[in-house]
């Protein structure tokens, strides 16, 4: 089910009204002010169609001149809502622009609320590709193919000032922990850590989207959730009162553009186009533009298996 953009943006607005201070905030004493990433402009590349890459696409897509693509708006600065309904801003929007130009086709985009709905849309044939933040795992590779493009390091996100003194995974034991439905889950990590220490496992609270979960953290209805450091940086740039604590027990996660398992030619074409963007420097430029340069990888297909 698609998320109504008006409802999603109302959730964002409510969260901002509840939790935000200024749009430009200072960090610790003496630190440089954080840049408000919502003020960042989208890149405007002008690449020519790469005929060799274009030829890798299935014939039906080449003839149509377009491909149905799922986007998301819940993991800033990778993706977040724009000013207009249906508009996506951030890193994925810049990557879409570059990929469209290199592939020589139009991306016909639809916004989906979470990973679960995107994967269901792929399975049903509603879309052919996602350009989102779906985690590449060995289990998911049984049904899907991933073109990995960024590294996500896990962290425990807590309210500013860390009122409960959460410093490690063990400190989440017995507390209320939030996750977005269908997202890559690290709840099993907390279960293992807590049971191994003879402590109660966290109470899991599930949410339909990330903004609702963030609002619950700010209001104290959940005590922590697993996130990524780059998302915390973005939130702090907005004045959101959050901090994060490392979660090495959960390891790292590769995030990938996704196609159904039987759509390998699409994955190969997208990967080839992405390699063009790596070679011409646009991939690196886009990540650095959104403060994500530290999370760049050498993109590739199903890297979690390697």
């Amino acid at each position: 089910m698609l998320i109504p953009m008006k409802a999603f943006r109302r959730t964002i607005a409510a969260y901002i009204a509840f939790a935000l201070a200024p749009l430009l905030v200072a960090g610790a004493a003496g630190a440089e002010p954080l840049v408000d990433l919502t003020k960042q402009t989208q890149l405007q590349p002008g690449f020519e169609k790469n005929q060799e890459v274009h030829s890798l696409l299935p014939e039906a897509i080449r003839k149509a001149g377009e491909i149905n693509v799922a986007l998301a708006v819940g993991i800033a600065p990778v993706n977040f809502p724009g000013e207009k309904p249906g508009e996506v801003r951030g890193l994925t929007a810049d990557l879409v622009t570059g990929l469209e130009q290199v592939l020589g086709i139009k991306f016909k985009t639809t916004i989906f609320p979470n990973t679960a709905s995107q994967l269901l849309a792929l399975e049903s044939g509603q879309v052919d590709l996602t350009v989102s933040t779906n985690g590449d795992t060995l289990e998911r590779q049984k049904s899907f193919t991933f073109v990995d493009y960024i590294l996500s390091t896990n962290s425990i996100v807590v309210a500013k000032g860390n009122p409960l003194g959460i410093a490690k995974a063990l400190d989440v034991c017995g507390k209320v922990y939030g996750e977005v439905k269908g997202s890559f889950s690290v709840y099993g990590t907390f279960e293992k850590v807590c049971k191994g220490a003879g402590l109660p496992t966290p109470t899991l609270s599930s949410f339909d989207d990330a903004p609702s979960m963030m609002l619950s953290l700010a209001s104290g209805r959940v005590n922590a959730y697993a996130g990524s450091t780059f998302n915390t940086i973005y939130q702090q740039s907005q004045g959101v009162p959050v901090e994060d604590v490392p979660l090495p027990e959960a390891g790292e996660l590769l995030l990938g553009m996704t196609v159904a398992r039987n759509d390998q030619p699409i994955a190969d074409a997208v990967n080839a186009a992405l390699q063009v963007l790596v070679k011409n420097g646009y991939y690196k430029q886009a990540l650095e533009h959104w403060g994500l340069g530290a999370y760049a990888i050498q993109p590739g297909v199903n890297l979690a298996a390697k």
Side-chain angles (χ1 to χ4, degrees), residues 41-127:
T41 58
Q42 298 293 149
L43 297 176
Q44 300 293 327
F47 303 126
E48 296 292 330
K49 179 175 77 172
N50 185 305
Q51 188 58 47
E52 182 178 356
V53 173
H54 178 79
S55 67
L56 297 175
L57 288 165
E59 182 180 1
I61 292 176
R62 295 199 310 270
K63 285 185 176 180
E66 64 181 23
I67 184 172
N68 293 316
V69 178
L71 302 180
V73 288
I75 307 294
V78 181
N79 47 47
F80 57 95
E83 291 298 319
K84 302 175 183 177
E87 181 183 38
V88 178
R89 299 198 62 231
L91 173 66
T92 54
D94 280 341
L95 292 180
V96 162
T97 301
L99 290 171
E100 282 182 313
Q101 293 177 359
V102 173
L103 287 165
I105 58 171
K106 175 69 176 176
F107 282 25
K108 188 177 179 182
T109 61
T110 303
I111 296 174
F112 287 77
N114 51 45
T115 294
S117 61
Q118 292 173 46
L119 299 184
L120 183 61
L122 284 172
E123 288 181 320
S124 66
Q126 184 179 355
V127 300

Side-chain angles (χ1 to χ4, degrees), residues 4 31 37 46 54 57 73-74 93 102 127 153 204 209 257 264 283 295:
L37 290 172
H54 178 79
L57 288 165
V73 288
V102 173
V127 300
T153 56
L204 178 62
D209 52 65
M257 305 172 194
Q264 186 68 39
Y283 167 79
Y295 305 97

Side-chain angles (χ1 to χ4, degrees), residues 257-268:
M257 305 172 194
T258 317
V259 302
R261 186 65 172 165
N262 59 353
D263 282 339
Q264 186 68 39
I266 299 176
D268 291 341

Side-chain angles (χ1 to χ4, degrees), residues 172-210:
V172 181
C173 299
K175 295 181 173 61
V176 182
Y177 166 78
E179 279 191 354
V180 175
K181 296 174 185 177
S183 65
F184 179 74
S185 177
V186 299
Y187 184 68
T189 297
F190 290 109
E191 285 185 309
K192 182 178 180 180
V193 168
C194 296
K195 287 179 180 179
L199 297 172
T201 57
T203 299
L204 178 62
S205 183
S206 298
F207 296 87
D208 290 327
D209 52 65

